[in-house]
Each structure stands twice: as structure tokens, then as C-alpha cells.
Amino acid sequence: MEGLGKGRFAKQQPIMDKNGDRILISNFWDYDAKEWTKLERSLFPGEHAISTAAVDWDDDGDFDLLLGARSGKLFLRRNEGSARKPAFAVHNEQVKSAGRAVEVPGGGATVEVADWDLDGKWDIIAGATTGAVYWFQNNGPAGKPQFAAPQKLVNAPEKRESSADAIVWPGERVQVSVGDHNGDGLPDLLMGDNQSQTVKGTEFTPERRAKYDDLIAELRAVGEKLKPLVEKEGAKPDGGPSPERAALDAQRQEILKKLSAVRPKTERHGWVWLFERKAAARGD
């Protein structure tokens, strides 16, 4: 979105390469066709971009694009134009260091670029699907970045808390941003998460838990009776299922309906977390 001044922005536009094609890695959701699409022009089939950060990768005075993939791999789309007239390359390059792929443990690479150790060189900070955050220290010369092995800055949550009152740590699929939040000269970490919590008043009571367990047992018993019929008749039999199978299917749906009524209700949210830097950064 192009800035118009005074906090206003123009309508969002997709970033195109120099040929006028959308910038992507491979898989993308086609909103018109309502399906995942793989493009033949991709050099990395099966990859899916979920984040991007602008950075002058090759120190030539313009912004290139660092792409984070769902798999955890990182990719570079070079700007072959200028700062005022960008012309992005047609293909991505996989980010490597010392011949090895730079990859976020746990997948789900949400990338940010910042000078985390205050050595004058930008580093990569990345969130992961697990909820952890990693720092890839840039120890290469200007224009030729090289990265150390990932160092964990924030641990993934040890367990999922079901109650909002019990949540004291970021959840999963975190997005990250780095900035000096408190003005002390040190970079701080801002994180947005994705969590689910139990709606108050729908938690398991001993009675509801017992009812739930009984229904699960019933569901499994019906599933055992259905299995040989499905194997015999096929997934979608011509002329429809046999009367016995139809009755079992109806019984299964009724059990699922009862389970839905007994099971605790959950709702998803995204919370924002601040981790202020306390230790000295330089030489640390």
C-alpha cells in the first residue's frame, strides 16, 4: 500500500515482477477459482509464501524481498531495478549460508529484518508455527550476507492452555516485529500469536466429561461396524448405501451432534506480546 501522507494509504496492490506477474514462491490461493494453485513458472513447487520483509540484500541501494515459506525455508527475490523503479527478478533464490539452506525450525517462517546484536549489520528474526522465535545472526560482509545457525530467542509454549486466565505465554503461528519499544537503545520484540481458548461456562465438569467419554466410545463402536460396509460398498456406492449402512451413518451423525453439545466451546484470538530486551546487546 503506497503511503499518501498523514497516515493515509492507497488501495493495496500485489507486488509484481519485471514481467508483470505476481511475486510468489509456488502455491497460492486462487480466490477466483477457490483452490490452491501451483504455477509451472515456479522453481520451488510445493512451497507457499506466508511472509515477506524488505531488505537491501546486496547493498546496492534498493530493497529486495525476503520471503518466508510455510515449510520454514527462506527465499530471496532480487530487485534488478532501482529504489524508485523496482524491477523484481522473475524467479526466487533459496537462501543458503555456507552451502546449507537457511531454515526456521518448526516451519511457518514469518520473517523480520533488524540489527538484533547492534553490530551495524541486519539480521533475520523469524517466528515459527510452534510459537518459537529465532535469530539468524548475519556475520557476512555488506552485500554478501551469511548467517549463523538459528538461536532461539523465545521458547515455544510448553502446552496449550484452554482458559484465558491461564494463558501467560504466546501461542502458535507467531508474527514478529523488532523495535526499540521503551527508548533504551536496545531492540525489543513484539509478537502476535494465534491461540484458541475455552469459552467460559462451557468447560468440562466431571459429569460432562463422563458423558463425552461415553459418546466417544459409542462413536468408535459405530465406526467399527461401518468399516467393513464401506470397504465392501465403496466410498460412494452406485444406487446409494445399503439400508444397514444408511442406518449406521444416521446413528453416527446423531452421536456427533450430541458430542458437539457436550464438548467445550472454543474461540480463536490473536494476542500481542512484548518482550523487552534487558541484557546488553553489544558483544552479547
Side-chain angles (χ1 to χ4, degrees):
M1 294 184 289
E2 184 178 355
L4 301 176
K6 297 183 179 181
R8 297 178 300 116
F9 295 90
K11 185 179 179 180
Q12 70 271 20
Q13 300 181 49
I15 300 177
M16 303 295 191
D17 65 22
K18 62 183 182 182
N19 288 348
D21 292 318
R22 287 175 180 262
I23 290 180
L24 43 79
I25 300 178
S26 177
N27 286 349
F28 78 99
W29 181 256
D30 188 325
Y31 283 93
D32 295 327
K34 296 182 179 180
E35 64 182 8
W36 287 102
T37 303
K38 295 181 180 179
L39 296 187
E40 294 179 356
R41 63 185 172 92
S42 172
L43 300 179
F44 304 96
E47 295 290 350
H48 172 54
I50 61 172
S51 68
T52 185
V55 58
D56 188 359
W57 187 274
D58 44 15
D59 199 35
D60 64 351
D62 58 42
F63 281 123
D64 308 291
L65 294 178
L66 176 64
L67 308 176
R70 188 182 299 278
S71 66
K73 297 183 177 68
L74 305 183
F75 297 87
L76 171 67
R77 185 67 70 104
R78 292 184 187 271
N79 182 359
E80 298 175 350
S82 64
R84 289 188 174 274
K85 293 185 178 181
F88 292 100
V90 174
H91 293 296
N92 301 306
E93 305 169 31
Q94 186 170 356
V95 176
K96 296 183 178 181
S97 186
R100 293 181 296 181
V102 177
E103 190 168 350
V104 176
T110 58
V111 294
E112 163 76 312
V113 173
D115 183 5
W116 185 254
D117 54 358
L118 301 180
D119 66 350
K121 294 182 289 189
W122 56 267
D123 308 300
I124 297 174
I125 315 296
T129 298
T130 60
V133 177
Y134 296 89
W135 166 41
F136 296 82
Q137 184 184 31
N138 180 0
N139 51 30
K144 295 182 179 180
Q146 293 290 314
F147 302 98
Q151 299 182 49
K152 190 182 294 184
L153 298 179
V154 178
N155 289 324
E158 293 183 0
K159 63 176 181 177
R160 291 185 179 182
E161 298 290 356
S162 59
S163 169
D165 297 333
I167 296 176
V168 296
W169 198 255
E172 301 170 336
R173 295 161 56 188
V174 292
Q175 308 280 333
V176 295
S177 180
V178 175
D180 184 4
H181 182 266
N182 54 7
D184 65 353
L186 298 176
D188 305 307
L189 186 64
L190 201 64
M191 297 170 56
D193 70 3
N194 188 306
Q195 292 205 65
S196 62
Q197 67 184 60
T198 301
V199 177
K200 285 188 177 181
T202 69
E203 301 90 346
F204 270 133
T205 61
E207 294 79 11
R208 290 181 65 178
R209 181 73 215 198
K211 179 64 175 177
Y212 177 84
D213 291 341
D214 289 343
L215 289 169
I216 289 294
E218 289 181 34
L219 187 66
R220 288 172 178 166
V222 170
E224 289 299 316
K225 294 178 182 178
L226 269 171
K227 185 177 179 180
L229 295 175
V230 173
E231 292 175 348
K232 179 182 178 181
E233 301 176 17
K236 295 181 178 180
D238 295 334
S242 63
E244 182 183 3
R245 178 175 170 180
L248 287 170
D249 279 331
Q251 186 178 349
R252 180 176 180 275
Q253 290 303 316
E254 185 62 28
I255 295 172
L256 289 173
K257 187 183 299 185
K258 292 179 180 179
L259 275 171
S260 179
V262 174
R263 184 185 295 118
K265 303 296 186 295
T266 60
E267 57 186 8
R268 299 205 69 83
H269 65 80
W271 285 351
V272 178
W273 304 78
L274 171 64
F275 287 78
E276 291 186 347
R277 186 74 169 272
K278 296 300 183 183
R282 290 182 179 84
D284 203 5

PDB file of all heavy atoms in Angstrom, residues 228-247:
ATOM      1  N   PRO A 228     -16.345 -52.327   7.628  1.00  0.00           N
ATOM      2  CA  PRO A 228     -16.459 -53.387   6.614  1.00  0.00           C
ATOM      3  C   PRO A 228     -17.497 -53.084   5.529  1.00  0.00           C
ATOM      4  O   PRO A 228     -17.328 -53.503   4.379  1.00  0.00           O
ATOM      5  CB  PRO A 228     -16.866 -54.616   7.431  1.00  0.00           C
ATOM      6  CG  PRO A 228     -17.450 -54.084   8.688  1.00  0.00           C
ATOM      7  CD  PRO A 228     -16.725 -52.812   8.966  1.00  0.00           C
ATOM      8  N   LEU A 229     -18.546 -52.352   5.877  1.00  0.00           N
ATOM      9  CA  LEU A 229     -19.560 -51.992   4.884  1.00  0.00           C
ATOM     10  C   LEU A 229     -18.998 -51.005   3.858  1.00  0.00           C
ATOM     11  O   LEU A 229     -19.278 -51.121   2.652  1.00  0.00           O
ATOM     12  CB  LEU A 229     -20.778 -51.387   5.576  1.00  0.00           C
ATOM     13  CG  LEU A 229     -21.568 -52.327   6.494  1.00  0.00           C
ATOM     14  CD1 LEU A 229     -22.691 -51.558   7.204  1.00  0.00           C
ATOM     15  CD2 LEU A 229     -22.157 -53.483   5.686  1.00  0.00           C
ATOM     16  N   VAL A 230     -18.223 -50.041   4.328  1.00  0.00           N
ATOM     17  CA  VAL A 230     -17.603 -49.068   3.415  1.00  0.00           C
ATOM     18  C   VAL A 230     -16.601 -49.769   2.507  1.00  0.00           C
ATOM     19  O   VAL A 230     -16.524 -49.491   1.306  1.00  0.00           O
ATOM     20  CB  VAL A 230     -16.927 -47.933   4.209  1.00  0.00           C
ATOM     21  CG1 VAL A 230     -16.137 -47.020   3.276  1.00  0.00           C
ATOM     22  CG2 VAL A 230     -17.964 -47.132   4.989  1.00  0.00           C
ATOM     23  N   GLU A 231     -15.812 -50.701   3.082  1.00  0.00           N
ATOM     24  CA  GLU A 231     -14.847 -51.440   2.273  1.00  0.00           C
ATOM     25  C   GLU A 231     -15.546 -52.295   1.211  1.00  0.00           C
ATOM     26  O   GLU A 231     -15.047 -52.441   0.093  1.00  0.00           O
ATOM     27  CB  GLU A 231     -13.985 -52.321   3.180  1.00  0.00           C
ATOM     28  CG  GLU A 231     -13.050 -51.529   4.080  1.00  0.00           C
ATOM     29  CD  GLU A 231     -12.295 -52.422   5.047  1.00  0.00           C
ATOM     30  OE1 GLU A 231     -12.674 -53.615   5.159  1.00  0.00           O
ATOM     31  OE2 GLU A 231     -11.346 -51.931   5.696  1.00  0.00           O
ATOM     32  N   LYS A 232     -16.701 -52.809   1.560  1.00  0.00           N
ATOM     33  CA  LYS A 232     -17.441 -53.670   0.633  1.00  0.00           C
ATOM     34  C   LYS A 232     -18.162 -52.854  -0.441  1.00  0.00           C
ATOM     35  O   LYS A 232     -18.136 -53.202  -1.634  1.00  0.00           O
ATOM     36  CB  LYS A 232     -18.451 -54.520   1.414  1.00  0.00           C
ATOM     37  CG  LYS A 232     -19.307 -55.443   0.545  1.00  0.00           C
ATOM     38  CD  LYS A 232     -20.301 -56.210   1.403  1.00  0.00           C
ATOM     39  CE  LYS A 232     -21.195 -57.088   0.529  1.00  0.00           C
ATOM     40  NZ  LYS A 232     -22.186 -57.834   1.357  1.00  0.00           N
ATOM     41  N   GLU A 233     -18.809 -51.758  -0.031  1.00  0.00           N
ATOM     42  CA  GLU A 233     -19.645 -50.990  -0.954  1.00  0.00           C
ATOM     43  C   GLU A 233     -18.895 -49.871  -1.667  1.00  0.00           C
ATOM     44  O   GLU A 233     -19.355 -49.369  -2.698  1.00  0.00           O
ATOM     45  CB  GLU A 233     -20.834 -50.398  -0.187  1.00  0.00           C
ATOM     46  CG  GLU A 233     -21.721 -51.442   0.482  1.00  0.00           C
ATOM     47  CD  GLU A 233     -22.829 -50.812   1.309  1.00  0.00           C
ATOM     48  OE1 GLU A 233     -23.104 -49.602   1.117  1.00  0.00           O
ATOM     49  OE2 GLU A 233     -23.415 -51.526   2.153  1.00  0.00           O
ATOM     50  N   GLY A 234     -17.755 -49.466  -1.105  1.00  0.00           N
ATOM     51  CA  GLY A 234     -17.032 -48.336  -1.676  1.00  0.00           C
ATOM     52  C   GLY A 234     -17.455 -47.032  -1.030  1.00  0.00           C
ATOM     53  O   GLY A 234     -18.479 -46.958  -0.336  1.00  0.00           O
ATOM     54  N   ALA A 235     -16.673 -45.988  -1.274  1.00  0.00           N
ATOM     55  CA  ALA A 235     -16.947 -44.701  -0.640  1.00  0.00           C
ATOM     56  C   ALA A 235     -18.274 -44.120  -1.083  1.00  0.00           C
ATOM     57  O   ALA A 235     -19.043 -43.584  -0.277  1.00  0.00           O
ATOM     58  CB  ALA A 235     -15.807 -43.722  -0.942  1.00  0.00           C
ATOM     59  N   LYS A 236     -18.563 -44.190  -2.394  1.00  0.00           N
ATOM     60  CA  LYS A 236     -19.822 -43.670  -2.932  1.00  0.00           C
ATOM     61  C   LYS A 236     -20.469 -44.741  -3.808  1.00  0.00           C
ATOM     62  O   LYS A 236     -20.324 -44.731  -5.041  1.00  0.00           O
ATOM     63  CB  LYS A 236     -19.574 -42.395  -3.733  1.00  0.00           C
ATOM     64  CG  LYS A 236     -19.052 -41.235  -2.905  1.00  0.00           C
ATOM     65  CD  LYS A 236     -18.859 -39.992  -3.755  1.00  0.00           C
ATOM     66  CE  LYS A 236     -18.372 -38.825  -2.912  1.00  0.00           C
ATOM     67  NZ  LYS A 236     -18.178 -37.607  -3.743  1.00  0.00           N
ATOM     68  N   PRO A 237     -21.173 -45.683  -3.190  1.00  0.00           N
ATOM     69  CA  PRO A 237     -21.748 -46.790  -3.965  1.00  0.00           C
ATOM     70  C   PRO A 237     -22.835 -46.341  -4.932  1.00  0.00           C
ATOM     71  O   PRO A 237     -23.615 -45.437  -4.619  1.00  0.00           O
ATOM     72  CB  PRO A 237     -22.327 -47.714  -2.878  1.00  0.00           C
ATOM     73  CG  PRO A 237     -22.586 -46.803  -1.724  1.00  0.00           C
ATOM     74  CD  PRO A 237     -21.499 -45.766  -1.767  1.00  0.00           C
ATOM     75  N   ASP A 238     -22.866 -46.957  -6.102  1.00  0.00           N
ATOM     76  CA  ASP A 238     -23.934 -46.683  -7.067  1.00  0.00           C
ATOM     77  C   ASP A 238     -25.276 -47.108  -6.472  1.00  0.00           C
ATOM     78  O   ASP A 238     -25.412 -48.191  -5.914  1.00  0.00           O
ATOM     79  CB  ASP A 238     -23.690 -47.448  -8.366  1.00  0.00           C
ATOM     80  CG  ASP A 238     -22.440 -46.982  -9.089  1.00  0.00           C
ATOM     81  OD1 ASP A 238     -22.055 -45.811  -8.885  1.00  0.00           O
ATOM     82  OD2 ASP A 238     -21.841 -47.795  -9.830  1.00  0.00           O
ATOM     83  N   GLY A 239     -26.236 -46.248  -6.594  1.00  0.00           N
ATOM     84  CA  GLY A 239     -27.552 -46.566  -6.044  1.00  0.00           C
ATOM     85  C   GLY A 239     -27.680 -46.251  -4.575  1.00  0.00           C
ATOM     86  O   GLY A 239     -28.723 -46.512  -3.963  1.00  0.00           O
ATOM     87  N   GLY A 240     -26.611 -45.696  -3.980  1.00  0.00           N
ATOM     88  CA  GLY A 240     -26.662 -45.321  -2.577  1.00  0.00           C
ATOM     89  C   GLY A 240     -26.234 -46.440  -1.645  1.00  0.00           C
ATOM     90  O   GLY A 240     -26.090 -47.604  -2.063  1.00  0.00           O
ATOM     91  N   PRO A 241     -26.048 -46.131  -0.383  1.00  0.00           N
ATOM     92  CA  PRO A 241     -25.604 -47.137   0.585  1.00  0.00           C
ATOM     93  C   PRO A 241     -26.700 -48.138   0.908  1.00  0.00           C
ATOM     94  O   PRO A 241     -27.894 -47.890   0.692  1.00  0.00           O
ATOM     95  CB  PRO A 241     -25.248 -46.300   1.820  1.00  0.00           C
ATOM     96  CG  PRO A 241     -26.132 -45.097   1.714  1.00  0.00           C
ATOM     97  CD  PRO A 241     -26.241 -44.807   0.242  1.00  0.00           C
ATOM     98  N   SER A 242     -26.296 -49.278   1.444  1.00  0.00           N
ATOM     99  CA  SER A 242     -27.260 -50.285   1.880  1.00  0.00           C
ATOM    100  C   SER A 242     -28.052 -49.747   3.070  1.00  0.00           C
ATOM    101  O   SER A 242     -27.623 -48.822   3.759  1.00  0.00           O
ATOM    102  CB  SER A 242     -26.522 -51.560   2.292  1.00  0.00           C
ATOM    103  OG  SER A 242     -25.683 -51.303   3.414  1.00  0.00           O
ATOM    104  N   PRO A 243     -29.237 -50.304   3.333  1.00  0.00           N
ATOM    105  CA  PRO A 243     -30.043 -49.847   4.474  1.00  0.00           C
ATOM    106  C   PRO A 243     -29.268 -49.909   5.792  1.00  0.00           C
ATOM    107  O   PRO A 243     -29.381 -49.011   6.634  1.00  0.00           O
ATOM    108  CB  PRO A 243     -31.236 -50.800   4.471  1.00  0.00           C
ATOM    109  CG  PRO A 243     -31.370 -51.225   3.041  1.00  0.00           C
ATOM    110  CD  PRO A 243     -29.960 -51.328   2.534  1.00  0.00           C
ATOM    111  N   GLU A 244     -28.488 -50.986   5.969  1.00  0.00           N
ATOM    112  CA  GLU A 244     -27.716 -51.126   7.217  1.00  0.00           C
ATOM    113  C   GLU A 244     -26.703 -49.990   7.351  1.00  0.00           C
ATOM    114  O   GLU A 244     -26.554 -49.393   8.416  1.00  0.00           O
ATOM    115  CB  GLU A 244     -27.001 -52.481   7.229  1.00  0.00           C
ATOM    116  CG  GLU A 244     -26.204 -52.721   8.522  1.00  0.00           C
ATOM    117  CD  GLU A 244     -25.442 -54.036   8.495  1.00  0.00           C
ATOM    118  OE1 GLU A 244     -25.482 -54.724   7.453  1.00  0.00           O
ATOM    119  OE2 GLU A 244     -24.799 -54.360   9.513  1.00  0.00           O
ATOM    120  N   ARG A 245     -26.023 -49.693   6.253  1.00  0.00           N
ATOM    121  CA  ARG A 245     -25.020 -48.621   6.280  1.00  0.00           C
ATOM    122  C   ARG A 245     -25.672 -47.262   6.489  1.00  0.00           C
ATOM    123  O   ARG A 245     -25.154 -46.422   7.239  1.00  0.00           O
ATOM    124  CB  ARG A 245     -24.217 -48.631   4.986  1.00  0.00           C
ATOM    125  CG  ARG A 245     -23.175 -47.519   4.895  1.00  0.00           C
ATOM    126  CD  ARG A 245     -22.341 -47.663   3.649  1.00  0.00           C
ATOM    127  NE  ARG A 245     -21.512 -46.503   3.409  1.00  0.00           N
ATOM    128  CZ  ARG A 245     -20.688 -46.369   2.376  1.00  0.00           C
ATOM    129  NH1 ARG A 245     -20.583 -47.350   1.484  1.00  0.00           N
ATOM    130  NH2 ARG A 245     -19.972 -45.274   2.218  1.00  0.00           N
ATOM    131  N   ALA A 246     -26.802 -47.040   5.843  1.00  0.00           N
ATOM    132  CA  ALA A 246     -27.512 -45.776   5.995  1.00  0.00           C
ATOM    133  C   ALA A 246     -27.940 -45.564   7.443  1.00  0.00           C
ATOM    134  O   ALA A 246     -27.852 -44.448   7.978  1.00  0.00           O
ATOM    135  CB  ALA A 246     -28.715 -45.734   5.068  1.00  0.00           C
ATOM    136  N   ALA A 247     -28.395 -46.637   8.089  1.00  0.00           N
ATOM    137  CA  ALA A 247     -28.813 -46.540   9.489  1.00  0.00           C
ATOM    138  C   ALA A 247     -27.628 -46.212  10.387  1.00  0.00           C
ATOM    139  O   ALA A 247     -27.723 -45.393  11.312  1.00  0.00           O
ATOM    140  CB  ALA A 247     -29.480 -47.839   9.919  1.00  0.00           C
TER     141      ALA A 247
END
